[in-house]
Amino acid sequence: MQEYRLLLVDDEKDILKLLQYNFELEGMNVHTAQTGKDAIDLALSLIPNVILLDVMLPDIDGIEVCEILRKNPVLNNTIIIFLSARGEDYSQVAGYRAGADDYIVKPIRIKVLLHKIKALLDRNRDYNDFESINNMQIDSDRFSIMKDGKESIIPKKEFELLSYLMSSPDKVFRREEILSEVWGDAFIGDRTIDVHVRKLREKFGREIIRTVKGVGYRFMGN
Amino acid sequence: MQEYRLLLVDDEKDILKLLQYNFELEGMNVHTAQTGKDAIDLALSLIPNVILLDVMLPDIDGIEVCEILRKNPVLNNTIIIFLSARGEDYSQVAGYRAGADDYIVKPIRIKVLLHKIKALLDRNRDYNDFESINNMQIDSDRFSIMKDGKESIIPKKEFELLSYLMSSPDKVFRREEILSEVWGDAFIGDRTIDVHVRKLREKFGREIIRTVKGVGYRFMGN
DNA sequence: GTTTAGCATAACATAGCGTTAACCCATTCG
DNA sequence: CGAATGGGTTAACGCTATGTTATGCTAAAC
């Protein structure tokens, strides 16, 4: 579990301490937040591998936090696990709708939780390995792309765009899709996308991204 | 949840029936097995998207079944979820070690289970929804046509026209139909259609679209 | 043989994209 | 602190694939 960044979000300090202690024993890099707002800020700057998110928070609802985070492609590979004192169907269902990867009801059994996280992380790793397309591998931890054994560290937006396109190789993403997924609801001109595509092509070869005129762009899976 | 193949494995017929009923309501393609051996055989021939696997089985232990299945790369993209009456730490941990994606303790709440599966499937591969006629597959995600294993990326209008004609193979579409469906209410001359048909024939062979003089065009479904 | 719809080719128009350079804004650095 | 750097965005402008039209030709229908 080395090298993994973990974000704990809970309003109760005791639980934070308990969990932090246990995860640090496992060698994880643990950060904590007590409010939804802090959680979002930290998550976006830290880009953790795992977020443990309490549903009950003083300001923003944990489920809402999750929805907000899930919208940001930077956190595509982040595992989000809900914690809740409530065991009702209702909140479990809402949790999955919000894009959670798992759901755990308090009281927490540390060992179970650890193994759950390990399983999810392992799965993600495998996933990344399989997601080596066209000699290109994407490493969201480092904001870098490996192509033909050479590592390139690329700027955030380029990385986000490339990740997005690579998330479904060969699919043509429409410009509107790209705008809303990569840029959120900012008011951005069309040329901005082109420029970023251009930079990516400059770095990795003209052929990796193909234009479909009048529609959008497509990352070539071969 | 259409088109997904689900394999249910449990030794109790009542549970199988209950689950089968509920998943079929969701439009899933449900298959069942009552023993570990059957489960393995079925899984390998069916290659389901999801396997729900009871831990307690009359012959082979569910965990062992999972380990065996996980070794086979054909099932790399298959999600395996354990079901168990026992809630103990022990078997949960063993389950994740064996390569399970999730673990659910009975009694099962159908809604929770459904959302769990949906969340896992969403994170998994995209599935393709293409029709295949006459060795030609049209893939609207990719804006491309596969013919005899070769992919052609074609311009938007050509793609739209071809899709339209292929939507009902062997039907003769009248020119007015084509105009209104493919071009909307633009004021377009008749010759435009011809030219696009010509380009399609150039790319995929003269025979794929047949002219019916005085009426319109027909995509040959053979 | 005459008529007509459709074909082929080339010419044309333009939406949509590519490219460049300049700008703003943060962050870092001297 | 101002300067320098790097990323993100924009505006201007050129370019080209794509879509459309024009024109003369061919083949089918009667």
Side-chain angles (χ1 to χ4, degrees):
Chain A
M1 306 274 266
Q2 245 80 333
E3 301 289 332
Y4 284 119
R5 291 182 302 285
L6 174 72
L7 176 59
L8 293 174
V9 188
D10 201 307
D11 54 338
E12 293 171 66
K13 276 193 178 174
D14 292 338
I15 290 186
L16 281 184
K17 272 187 187 162
L18 170 73
L19 291 175
Q20 179 162 23
Y21 172 76
N22 276 284
F23 284 115
E24 279 176 349
L25 272 188
E26 292 287 320
M28 295 182 97
N29 195 344
V30 182
H31 301 251
T32 61
Q34 292 191 54
T35 65
K37 202 190 162 305
D38 287 358
I40 293 171
D41 290 347
L42 252 175
L44 292 178
S45 63
L46 194 69
I47 309 169
N49 305 93
V50 186
I51 301 175
L52 284 178
L53 188 56
D54 192 20
V55 175
M56 298 283 275
L57 293 172
D59 52 345
I60 317 171
D61 188 272
I63 290 171
E64 210 174 314
V65 171
C66 178
E67 277 167 357
I68 292 166
L69 294 178
R70 268 284 172 258
K71 277 182 191 150
N72 196 319
V74 182
L75 298 173
N76 264 345
N77 289 323
T78 297
I79 290 163
I80 301 179
I81 299 176
F82 272 114
L83 303 175
S84 169
R86 298 180 285 172
E88 306 107 73
D89 260 34
Y90 156 75
S91 65
Q92 292 204 26
V93 170
Y96 283 114
R97 278 227 180 95
D101 294 285
D102 216 322
Y103 191 95
I104 288 193
V105 179
K106 293 177 187 175
I108 298 156
R109 288 166 179 157
I110 298 286
K111 271 191 190 167
V112 174
L113 181 52
L114 274 172
H115 278 284
K116 218 158 193 154
I117 290 174
K118 266 183 196 167
L120 286 167
L121 283 172
D122 282 353
R123 186 166 176 75
N124 251 24
R125 274 258 166 269
D126 286 354
Y127 208 58
N128 282 341
D129 288 347
F130 277 106
E131 223 154 28
S132 156
I133 313 126
N134 205 2
N135 286 330
M136 280 179 78
Q137 217 171 347
I138 185 158
D139 188 336
S140 46
D141 271 3
R142 305 183 183 180
F143 263 78
S144 78
I145 312 290
M146 293 280 285
K147 182 169 189 192
D148 310 324
K150 241 181 60 188
E151 185 182 24
S152 309
I153 296 168
I154 64 177
K156 192 172 155 202
K157 266 274 134 51
E158 284 170 45
F159 184 82
E160 286 171 5
L161 175 58
L162 183 57
S163 309
Y164 183 54
L165 294 178
M166 282 179 77
S167 71
S168 294
D170 292 322
K171 180 189 164 181
V172 178
F173 289 93
R174 303 170 170 286
R175 295 181 94 89
E176 314 98 61
E177 285 184 88
I178 297 176
L179 271 184
S180 74
E181 283 297 313
V182 179
W183 272 268
D185 357 84
F187 299 95
I188 293 284
D190 263 10
R191 299 279 71 65
T192 302
I193 298 180
D194 308 3
V195 172
H196 282 92
V197 167
R198 183 185 164 273
K199 287 176 181 165
L200 287 171
R201 296 213 255 235
E202 202 170 58
K203 279 165 186 152
F204 303 108
R206 183 160 255 286
E207 66 287 355
I208 66 152
I209 296 170
R210 184 136 183 190
T211 307
V212 181
K213 261 202 162 186
V215 188
Y217 292 99
R218 162 182 175 176
F219 176 84
M220 297 300 287
N222 250 312
Chain B
M1 303 276 265
Q2 244 80 332
E3 301 289 332
Y4 283 119
R5 290 180 303 283
L6 174 72
L7 176 58
L8 292 174
V9 187
D10 201 305
D11 56 337
E12 293 171 65
K13 276 194 180 174
D14 291 337
I15 290 186
L16 281 185
K17 272 188 190 165
L18 171 74
L19 291 175
Q20 177 161 25
Y21 172 75
N22 275 285
F23 285 114
E24 280 177 348
L25 273 188
E26 292 286 318
M28 296 183 96
N29 196 344
V30 183
H31 302 251
T32 61
Q34 291 192 57
T35 66
K37 199 188 165 305
D38 288 357
I40 293 170
D41 290 346
L42 251 175
L44 293 178
S45 63
L46 195 67
I47 309 170
N49 304 92
V50 185
I51 301 175
L52 284 179
L53 189 55
D54 192 21
V55 175
M56 298 282 274
L57 291 174
D59 52 344
I60 318 170
D61 188 272
I63 290 172
E64 209 174 314
V65 172
C66 179
E67 278 167 355
I68 292 168
L69 293 179
R70 267 285 172 256
K71 277 179 192 154
N72 195 319
V74 182
L75 298 173
N76 264 343
N77 288 323
T78 296
I79 290 163
I80 300 179
I81 299 175
F82 272 115
L83 302 176
S84 169
R86 297 180 288 173
E88 307 106 76
D89 266 29
Y90 159 76
S91 66
Q92 290 203 25
V93 168
Y96 284 116
R97 280 227 179 94
D101 294 285
D102 215 319
Y103 191 96
I104 288 193
V105 178
K106 294 178 189 175
I108 297 157
R109 288 164 181 161
I110 298 288
K111 272 191 189 169
V112 174
L113 181 52
L114 273 173
H115 278 283
K116 221 161 190 150
I117 291 174
K118 270 182 193 166
L120 286 166
L121 282 173
D122 281 354
R123 312 219 86 209
N124 235 26
R125 277 273 142 255
D126 48 319
Y127 59 102
N128 283 329
D129 51 350
F130 47 70
E131 318 153 41
S132 167
I133 313 126
N134 200 7
N135 284 331
M136 280 179 78
Q137 288 177 344
I138 182 159
D139 190 330
S140 47
D141 265 5
R142 302 183 175 193
F143 262 84
S144 75
I145 311 291
M146 292 280 284
K147 184 171 188 195
D148 310 323
K150 239 183 65 188
E151 185 184 26
S152 307
I153 297 170
I154 63 178
K156 194 178 163 196
K157 266 271 135 47
E158 284 170 45
F159 184 82
E160 287 171 1
L161 174 59
L162 183 56
S163 306
Y164 182 55
L165 295 178
M166 281 178 80
S167 70
S168 296
D170 293 324
K171 176 187 167 184
V172 179
F173 288 94
R174 282 176 288 113
R175 295 181 95 91
E176 313 97 63
E177 285 184 89
I178 297 175
L179 269 185
S180 74
E181 283 298 314
V182 179
W183 271 268
D185 10 75
F187 300 94
I188 293 286
D190 264 11
R191 298 282 68 70
T192 303
I193 298 179
D194 307 3
V195 173
H196 282 95
V197 168
R198 184 186 161 271
K199 285 177 182 164
L200 287 172
R201 296 212 256 236
E202 203 171 57
K203 278 166 186 151
F204 302 109
R206 182 160 252 289
E207 67 288 356
I208 66 152
I209 296 170
R210 181 166 292 182
T211 307
V212 181
K213 259 202 160 188
V215 187
Y217 293 98
R218 161 184 176 182
F219 176 84
M220 299 301 287
N222 253 1

